[in-house]
Amino acid sequence: MKIGLHVMKFGLPDGPAAIGPTLSRVVRDAEQAGIHSFWPMDHFFQIGIAGPPEDPMLEVYSTLAWAAGQTTTLQLGALVTGVHYRHPGLLMKTVSTLDVLSGGRAWLGLGAAWNEDESRGLGVPFPPLAQRFEMLEESLQIAHRMFTGDETPIEGRHYQLEQPLNRPAPLRRPPIMIGGMGERKTMRLIAKYADANNFFELPAPGALKQKLDVLRQRCDEAERPYDDIVKTTMGMLGDRDLDAARRRFEALAELGVDLAIVDLPDPSDPSTFDYLAKLVEEVAPLGRPTPAQLG
């Protein structure tokens, strides 16, 4: 089992000038601690569970490209890009460029999106949910074609690409993660197109298992092996109780979770990484990941 790192808060006591040095230490310490991957969220404004919209929020692909230059082994992905944020042709070029410049460490994270306020705030069109799911499926189709060098024209309902050149090509096809827990549409798309899912941990007993059982059913319907999907979760780091953490991640591993992504509550606290290094040692024997499955 692997641990991924999510950073949600960028407001620091010393202001914007401190973000770069602090985040540089975070990604380098995370790599040193054995963290598998770095997953900043893709939002324009801060979201309600972390603070008011006016709090600092970094643009995610600039952040990932910058992090690639600070590290050598961390896998890099957005958790996750709202499908309407960026035209898919440009998005696949962006992720491919990240993969080339990072030495083959980029993932594509996509979802149907939800935050209308930030889109309205920056003047980004926010289509109805049904249309966003149509856009999501077309974007996933475009990703598979552009990542594998298919340059034939793409004629979709929402996107038309006359010549989808993607050169330089990614060094490997970036793994595709779909975020979301909808049982009807989202899980169908995971089963059909994704290399990985991302679900919230869900503290209620049995709730995560129920979601994973539905995903298994969707894979059966798509005639796709359930074990082909890398199972990932998103949760808070929690307090620094290794015994409690061991029990928590053992339970996730028993459900088949391969990558547990945890939020870093205070990027300015370097002592967190001593705990994370111990946590990585605790969870390493759990689960079934192989390097190929996790990029």
Side-chain angles (χ1 to χ4, degrees):
M1 190 180 198
K2 301 291 186 182
I3 297 291
L5 189 65
H6 175 70
V7 178
M8 187 180 299
K9 296 182 179 181
F10 300 99
L12 299 172
D14 294 331
I19 295 176
T22 300
L23 201 58
S24 177
R25 178 185 52 75
V26 164
V27 295
R28 288 185 284 106
D29 286 355
E31 188 167 77
Q32 184 66 32
I35 295 296
H36 168 265
S37 42
F38 175 56
W39 299 92
M41 63 182 177
D42 195 356
H43 279 288
F44 305 148
F45 299 163
Q46 183 58 278
I47 62 174
I49 62 171
E54 297 80 10
D55 278 3
M57 177 54 57
L58 299 180
E59 194 282 319
V60 74
Y61 287 103
S62 303
T63 303
L64 289 169
W66 174 89
Q70 304 283 318
T71 58
T72 58
T73 62
L74 274 182
Q75 299 284 301
L76 303 162
L79 193 68
V80 291
T81 290
V83 68
H84 70 293
Y85 289 179
R86 297 166 180 84
H87 189 283
L90 178 59
L91 177 61
M92 304 321 153
K93 282 285 295 181
T94 301
V95 174
S96 297
T97 298
L98 177 63
D99 195 69
V100 168
L101 296 181
S102 68
R105 294 186 279 143
W107 290 53
L108 170 66
L110 271 178
W114 59 270
N115 194 328
E116 182 173 2
D117 289 344
E118 65 182 7
S119 294
R120 300 297 185 206
L122 293 189
V124 177
F126 189 77
L129 182 60
Q131 182 176 332
R132 298 200 308 276
F133 270 107
E134 293 173 357
M135 294 164 64
L136 179 56
E137 182 158 20
E138 286 190 20
S139 295
L140 292 163
Q141 294 167 352
I142 291 168
H144 278 275
R145 292 178 62 173
M146 289 186 66
F147 286 162
T148 55
D150 185 344
E151 297 176 2
T152 56
I154 297 172
E155 290 290 338
R157 179 177 179 181
H158 300 285
Y159 303 113
Q160 297 80 42
L161 285 68
E162 292 185 5
Q163 189 181 15
L165 291 173
N166 190 28
R167 304 182 191 180
L171 302 188
R172 51 94 198 254
R173 183 179 69 77
I176 298 171
M177 172 191 285
I178 297 178
M181 303 181 68
E183 297 181 1
R184 187 167 62 90
K185 292 184 177 181
T186 300
M187 292 193 195
R188 180 183 66 81
L189 295 176
I190 293 170
K192 188 172 182 179
Y193 297 105
D195 301 289
N197 75 303
N198 186 254
F199 291 169
F200 292 114
E201 279 193 33
L202 294 178
L208 181 57
K209 180 181 184 303
Q210 179 182 347
K211 291 291 184 180
L212 290 169
D213 286 345
V214 175
L215 178 58
R216 183 186 294 273
Q217 180 182 341
R218 295 292 174 263
C219 288
D220 290 343
E221 294 167 356
E223 299 183 344
R224 171 105 182 267
Y226 173 74
D227 287 342
D228 281 0
I229 307 293
V230 173
K231 317 306 186 302
T232 84
T233 55
M234 171 60 199
M236 305 305 292
L237 181 60
D239 59 28
R240 301 183 191 186
D241 183 336
L242 274 176
D243 289 336
R246 184 185 304 110
R247 293 191 296 270
R248 169 188 172 185
F249 291 109
E250 283 177 349
L252 290 175
E254 288 176 2
L255 292 175
V257 173
D258 304 303
L259 172 65
I261 300 170
V262 296
D263 179 62
L264 183 66
D266 182 5
S268 64
D269 180 5
S271 68
T272 301
F273 290 91
D274 293 332
Y275 171 71
L276 281 173
K278 295 175 183 177
L279 184 60
V280 168
E281 291 179 3
E282 292 290 339
V283 305
L286 305 175
R288 64 172 178 89
T290 66
Q293 288 170 322
L294 292 182

